[in-house]
Amino acid sequence: MTFDATAAYQKMHLCRRVDEEISQRYGGYGAAHNPMQTPVHLSLGQESCSVGVIMALPPSAHVYASHRCHAAYLAKGGDLNAMIAELYGKTTGCCGGRGGSMHLRDEAAGFLGAYPIVGDAVSIATGSAMAAQLEGKNRIICVFFGDAAMESGQVWESFNFAATHQLPILYVCENNNLATDTPRAVRQPTSSSIWQRVRAFMQANRITDESVETIYQMAKALLGELPAFLEIRTHRWAEHVGPKVTHDPAYDPLDLLKRKLDIGVADLV
């Protein structure tokens, strides 16, 4: 399957517009005037990670994510109306209005859940990969998580378990260099990159640009020998939680692809 640049732009544009609209309507968790009674962790600036990887996966793949899950949910085909209803706490939400922004799920689309506790998505997805293997299902599992999860013991235990049992799982670390607002350099050893440390367990690689096509091609290559690990260097535009944009959006994966396509946005969406 070849890379479809127009489809990639459309998916990233959807992720971007949804989070922009949430940002404009969100009044702050706990605020009396805020109808979205849930914390929100926006994917603004990181859209190419989810879209590039998920486009490379077979349709039968199951996807898991961490608290910053909007882009992954939408890229996998999650129901938009059910997602927004969930943010508003409605019973028509994808989790009955009880989970909020960090607990999105659409089983029909193959998005099996998002988990707010750092590192939890990794171990849960690893268990899902083990189940698929034991049941003889030809299914790939993919899980998205941030660089802060690399400081969790259960993540490294999951890597060891997946490598020992040769599980059909792709681990995707969206490295935005921040844990809340703390840079990675003061949290982790910097003598080696994240992906270099994971190579002790499985094939691993890193992408340092935010081209959705590059991400797609690398993910596609890694799927040939699972388990595998992909670190994607990305940029988070918004604050850790909430609608405020705190970083200069100098790196824009949508603009990068639009310039490559050299046609107007109206023609793409």
Side-chain angles (χ1 to χ4, degrees):
M1 183 174 63
T2 58
F3 176 71
D4 187 337
T6 300
Y9 188 91
Q10 291 169 338
K11 288 178 182 292
M12 287 195 295
H13 185 267
L14 172 64
C15 297
R16 174 70 56 83
R17 287 297 298 121
V18 169
D19 267 2
E20 286 177 338
E21 195 67 27
I22 291 171
S23 176
Q24 291 171 13
R25 294 172 182 264
Y26 189 78
Y29 180 56
H33 63 283
N34 178 33
M36 296 184 200
Q37 290 300 311
T38 173
V40 293
H41 298 76
L42 303 178
S43 300
L44 293 170
Q46 299 188 190
E47 299 89 354
S48 60
C49 302
S50 295
V51 171
V53 171
I54 289 174
M55 286 184 69
L57 298 174
S60 61
H62 283 175
V63 172
Y64 295 80
S66 64
H67 56 277
R68 199 172 306 282
C69 59
H70 294 179
Y73 174 89
L74 292 170
K76 192 64 173 77
D79 186 292
L80 175 57
N81 289 333
M83 169 186 167
I84 299 302
E86 186 65 30
L87 268 61
Y88 280 91
K90 296 183 177 181
T91 57
T92 53
C94 59
C95 289
R98 298 183 296 271
S101 170
M102 297 183 285
H103 290 278
L104 302 182
R105 178 183 175 89
D106 190 330
E107 189 171 352
F111 189 84
L112 271 290
Y115 301 88
I117 297 176
V118 175
D120 267 14
V122 176
S123 50
I124 291 169
T126 303
S128 179
M130 184 65 171
Q133 185 184 80
L134 290 173
E135 293 169 3
K137 295 180 178 177
N138 185 24
R139 174 178 291 134
I140 291 173
I141 308 299
C142 176
V143 56
F144 294 89
F145 50 95
D147 53 285
M150 302 302 295
E151 296 151 40
S152 171
Q154 65 177 311
V155 169
W156 294 96
E157 291 167 359
S158 295
F159 294 162
N160 182 70
F161 190 85
T164 300
H165 296 280
Q166 291 296 286
L167 300 183
I169 185 167
L170 176 63
Y171 297 101
V172 182
C173 178
E174 298 178 276
N175 180 6
N176 60 26
N177 197 47
L178 293 169
T180 307
D181 290 306
T182 305
R184 192 175 73 88
V186 300
R187 298 181 283 110
Q188 297 178 16
T190 56
S191 56
S192 62
S193 297
I194 289 173
W195 72 282
Q196 291 175 321
R197 284 183 274 141
V198 180
R199 283 197 300 180
F201 297 88
M202 65 191 73
Q203 67 159 338
N205 217 322
R206 177 180 66 168
I207 294 173
T208 56
D209 68 53
E210 297 187 64
S211 162
V212 65
E213 182 172 6
T214 302
I215 293 169
Y216 168 89
Q217 298 293 356
M218 180 61 72
K220 201 76 173 174
L222 289 172
L223 291 177
E225 186 183 339
L226 297 175
F229 177 93
L230 177 59
E231 176 189 352
I232 305 173
R233 185 69 177 91
T234 188
H235 294 79
R236 190 189 85 203
W237 290 6
E239 59 188 333
H240 169 63
V241 57
K244 183 180 178 182
V245 175
T246 58
H247 292 75
D248 178 18
Y251 300 89
D252 188 341
L254 276 82
D255 185 59
L256 181 67
L257 182 57
K258 181 166 68 69
R259 285 188 278 110
K260 183 175 181 179
L261 290 168
D262 195 29
I263 55 178
V265 173
D267 298 314
L268 292 167
V269 299

